[in-house]
Amino acid sequence: MIYQRLQRSKLDESDDALFYSFPRFVTHVDEGFIDQLVNLYREQLQPNTRILDLMSSWVSHLPEDMEFAHVEGHGMNLEELVKNPRLNHYFIQDLNQNQQLPLPDQDFDAVLIAVSVQYLQYPEKVFAEIHRVLKPGGMAIISFSNRMFFQKAIQSWRDGTEQSRVELVKTYYQSIPGFSSPEVVARPSPLPNFLLQLGITIGDPFYAVLANRTT
């Protein structure tokens, strides 16, 4: 238990609400990553369905040529969510303080978390909620790269490799009965790890871990 708490510790333990209190109208990944994410959403999501965009911001990266019945947004900064044109409704909630989502059971066809899963300190509880709000057969798509707010990412993410982070997200799904075996979409960085640690990149790697609610 102590080891688990250490693995989920943050360098900056101050209130997350303070950290996210001012808007950041930037994209946290490069255009190559965004293109791959948009294409993945186009392949996996169905039009006229209900989408929950967890840990969202001012952009959801949903394909512009797809219309959805409802897109519910969640985040930590009101100004960012207000500016997001794809959201039909949104709410503010710190998932490290309260993991219970104010949403009905089996209400969404898909749940998305883009480049934010690294900040969850209680991921199993959040993934239990993802399972609860998904319709049977609904899909969760968790995407990430190697960028992060280093001081707010959990230790197991900060200290991990690209592959260990994939395995970590898979364990989040596997901890909750009723998810299918996670599927991984991986387009890793072509550079060796020691160069990545020095901050040298030639394009953001792209990872997504997908699973469906089966029961």
Side-chain angles (χ1 to χ4, degrees):
M1 185 65 69
I2 294 175
Y3 174 76
Q4 188 179 69
R5 286 202 301 268
L6 287 172
Q7 289 299 98
R8 295 177 182 183
S9 66
K10 300 176 293 185
L11 292 175
D12 178 2
E13 294 286 354
S14 65
D15 190 345
D16 287 344
L18 296 174
F19 183 80
Y20 295 106
S21 62
F22 59 92
R24 296 174 173 88
F25 294 119
V26 297
T27 54
H28 299 286
V29 283
D30 65 16
E31 288 300 320
F33 181 101
I34 292 170
D35 288 345
Q36 292 176 84
L37 182 58
V38 171
N39 288 333
L40 180 65
Y41 286 165
R42 183 177 288 108
E43 293 168 3
Q44 298 294 336
L45 303 178
Q46 298 299 316
N48 303 313
T49 53
R50 293 179 59 82
I51 308 296
L52 172 58
D53 187 10
L54 273 182
M55 308 181 79
S56 186
S57 64
W58 66 287
V59 59
S60 291
H61 305 303
L62 294 168
E64 292 183 3
D65 56 347
M66 291 182 72
E67 293 296 328
F68 299 96
H70 181 86
V71 180
E72 183 77 16
H74 154 265
M76 288 285 287
N77 185 276
L78 179 61
E79 291 179 71
E80 291 181 6
L81 297 176
V82 167
K83 188 165 178 150
N84 189 328
R86 298 308 300 264
L87 302 182
N88 301 111
H89 185 262
Y90 47 80
F91 63 99
I92 304 291
Q93 183 172 322
D94 184 348
L95 295 180
N96 288 334
Q97 296 293 327
N98 177 15
Q99 295 81 51
Q100 184 74 34
L101 298 175
L103 301 167
D105 295 353
Q106 301 185 19
D107 198 37
F108 294 95
D109 299 281
V111 177
L112 317 174
I113 299 180
V115 296
S116 297
V117 70
Q118 60 267 30
Y119 307 119
L120 291 176
Q121 292 183 287
Y122 306 98
E124 292 85 1
K125 292 181 179 180
V126 174
F127 274 65
E129 282 292 281
I130 290 172
H131 179 272
R132 181 183 66 80
V133 303
L134 275 174
K135 298 176 182 178
M139 173 176 283
I141 303 176
I142 314 300
S143 60
F144 51 93
S145 188
N146 57 2
R147 297 202 204 186
M148 69 190 88
F149 294 126
F150 197 77
Q151 68 273 39
K152 286 296 185 181
I154 62 172
Q155 181 177 323
S156 57
W157 197 277
R158 297 193 312 269
D159 295 345
T161 64
E162 291 182 12
Q163 187 55 45
S164 74
R165 292 165 184 160
V166 170
E167 296 302 316
L168 189 62
V169 176
K170 288 170 65 177
T171 68
Y172 297 163
Y173 282 115
Q174 292 162 348
S175 69
I176 309 302
F179 275 119
S180 64
S181 179
E183 173 190 350
V184 176
V185 179
R187 300 180 180 104
S189 171
L191 291 177
N193 195 55
F194 78 93
L195 290 179
L196 297 175
Q197 291 175 342
L198 294 174
I200 299 172
T201 64
I202 56 172
D204 292 344
F206 178 87
Y207 293 95
V209 186
L210 300 70
N212 294 90
R213 174 173 172 165
T214 57
T215 59

